[in-house]
Amino acid sequence: MTMKENNKTRIVWREYQKEIADNNYYYARSCIRQNFFPGSEEAFIKIVRDVLGRDIFDDPHQTTCSGIAYHCGVLPFDTTMTVIARQFALMYEAGYQNFIPSCVTSFGIYTEMVETWEHFPDIFKKAKKLLKASTGRDFEMPQNLVHTSDIIYKFKDEIAAKSKLKLTHKDTGKPLKVVEHIGCHYAKIFPHHGVGGAEFPQVLAGMVKTWGGEVIDYPERRHCCGFGFRNYVIKEDRSYPLSNTKLKFESMESYKPDFIVTNCPGCTYFLDRWQYVIAETEGKTYGENGYGIPVLTYEEMAGLVLGYDPWDLGMQLHQVSVEPLLDKLGISYNPAEKYLGHNGESIGEPRKPEILKV
Amino acid sequence: MSETLYERLKQDVRFEEGLNACINCGICTANCPAARFYDYDPRMIVVTVQTLKEEEIEGLLKGDTIWYCGECLSCKTRCPRENTPGYIVQALRSLSIDTGYYKYSKKGRQQIKVKRTVGDNILKHGYCMYLDEITLEEHPEQGPVWDWYRNNAHSVLKRLGANYKGNGAGTMRDISQNDLDELRQIFVETGAEERFEKMEEYDHERK
């Protein structure tokens, strides 16, 4: 904890300490990220194994945590609790104790179940009974439960030492201005489980600052991206996520961010896709020269810093083009390779939006 | 004498954790993304359940209000009394489905669409959402890049190192039948299958 004081005001800045295991991770995959940002799911493993030299296990038997259905209000508590218990059982069977989900919704649910079991031993017993009856498996709570962004945060200095570039403008050398958006379920439910808590989360800001960027503080910085679970899944209610995300764009616009980075798969998706919708329906774009503001996962940000090819990271699957950011960073890339398939297969290109420049 | 609705709510751990005598300050509503755009007030939901009045709680279970919440749980962070209106909403939604009261509201009846997408995806694919099921017609916000990606999924995903529809580990792998069977058994054992069947039965009766 650090504290700054003067005679007139007393400002307390609490840096919540959080134990993040050093090695031997059981990787719990995200449904949204595998489908929408598959390159980031792979980049995380590559960074952990090849750059950081750590052991990470990718289990074929894991499944969804069922979290989206749970927060949409269709699954009973006991069902999601038992699915979570099964994931922990798989971890122990594979010989691991450090559980790292890549989805923020999942991280919130895994944490919710562990907290529930710790406070209500009878519910822990019930979870054991339900899992045994349905699968024959047994489980224990993990020794260490953190989000995958916590792992990158922990090793941000090691990544900086191996970096090929900084988050600065290639011409001016000035830090790029970055909006960091933390998924609500990372620290708003259980603030003591997030680096920096809910008020001053450092998990992304720490990466940005360590790698040379500047974090923007804007009024709606901590507002939800607007996912709203059932409010997105049900088409008629989709104005809820759109309106909430637009609120954030309107709030950050004056600060002219060079890019947005998030630690939540859903947030990355909404902040990217709603820019396309707002451009096509209202003619409004939030980036420079008719482009949108590029929206990155933290692995994409780390991958660029480490010198990975943007198309190997899967950044061609964004609807908002990342090229304006690549140009500012001075990253060389081949536009002709952007939309190639496996082994250079020619598979055509996406249709261009009418308003949003790509 | 049968249990009251309040007594049934008290059996849900989220309700137990979520309600610690609300002082009606309204911080949850000031901070709520749903309240920003809907005629929605989480403070009033908590005030209503605290009345303990059966007909008031029944009104919540039969109404649209409880379905507006986005479950971001921003309310949990801010409440000075450590209440969580979002947890209370979760318990109310669960009871609304279990009592069948969800059928009385438009928003409640929409839940069948959730069941048929993310709910069924879990048992069919082992994922809450799945590339093959997400069409541009249902999700026009995905944009043209999604259309291109879906049409070329095998090649694009292979380039990115994924294992789409493959066996074993990896991004977008097929979940094995044994693992899907375990998920289904969990649904049977914990009441989700029975809940899903009832939701389908009601929807067929309605039509």
Side-chain angles (χ1 to χ4, degrees), chain A residues 6 47 96 113 117 155 170 176 182 188 221 251 304:
Chain A
N6 61 38
I47 291 169
Y96 287 80
M113 295 307 161
W117 294 332
F155 296 113
K170 71 172 172 30
L176 294 187
I182 310 283
K188 284 184 182 172
R221 183 176 175 186
S251 177
L304 292 181

Side-chain angles (χ1 to χ4, degrees), chain A residues 29 35 42 62 71 79 86 137 185 188 220 230 232 235-238 273 337 340 345, chain B residues 36 71 77-78 107 111 113 126 131 137-138 141-142 149 155 159 171 173 179 182 190:
Chain A
R29 289 175 169 280
N35 280 279
E42 290 301 306
Q62 62 173 298
H71 280 300
T79 305
R86 180 181 179 273
R137 297 181 191 271
H185 291 191
K188 284 184 182 172
E220 298 293 356
R230 69 179 298 289
Y232 172 70
K235 196 175 183 180
E236 302 93 293
D237 290 350
R238 225 166 271 166
R273 293 306 206 274
E337 291 178 358
L340 293 179
E345 184 188 1
Chain B
R36 202 101 177 215
E71 297 202 12
T77 321
R78 296 287 176 221
K107 297 266 170 219
Q111 288 300 93
K113 295 180 187 172
L131 178 66
E137 292 72 36
E138 188 57 29
E141 72 282 355
Q142 282 277 12
Y149 170 35
S155 191
R159 178 183 180 185
T171 301
R173 77 220 174 277
D179 294 317
E182 284 194 21
T190 58

Side-chain angles (χ1 to χ4, degrees), chain B residues 57-116:
Chain B
I57 296 172
E58 189 178 312
L60 278 179
L61 299 176
K62 287 182 171 176
D64 281 331
T65 308
I66 58 170
W67 303 103
Y68 287 127
C69 170
E71 297 202 12
C72 69
L73 294 162
S74 302
C75 50
K76 186 174 191 297
T77 321
R78 296 287 176 221
C79 177
R81 293 273 305 166
E82 297 189 351
N83 290 296
T84 309
Y87 280 174
I88 295 168
V89 165
Q90 284 186 302
L92 286 163
R93 286 175 171 181
S94 202
L95 188 57
S96 178
I97 293 183
D98 289 342
T99 52
Y101 288 159
Y102 76 101
K103 302 175 217 169
Y104 290 83
S105 70
K106 182 183 171 211
K107 297 266 170 219
R109 288 191 296 274
Q110 286 175 335
Q111 288 300 93
I112 191 68
K113 295 180 187 172
V114 178
K115 181 263 163 197
R116 287 177 186 160

Side-chain angles (χ1 to χ4, degrees), chain A residues 222-242:
Chain A
R222 297 291 167 234
H223 193 77
C224 175
C225 75
F227 182 2
F229 295 98
R230 69 179 298 289
N231 290 289
Y232 172 70
V233 171
I234 294 165
K235 196 175 183 180
E236 302 93 293
D237 290 350
R238 225 166 271 166
S239 56
Y240 172 104
L242 172 57

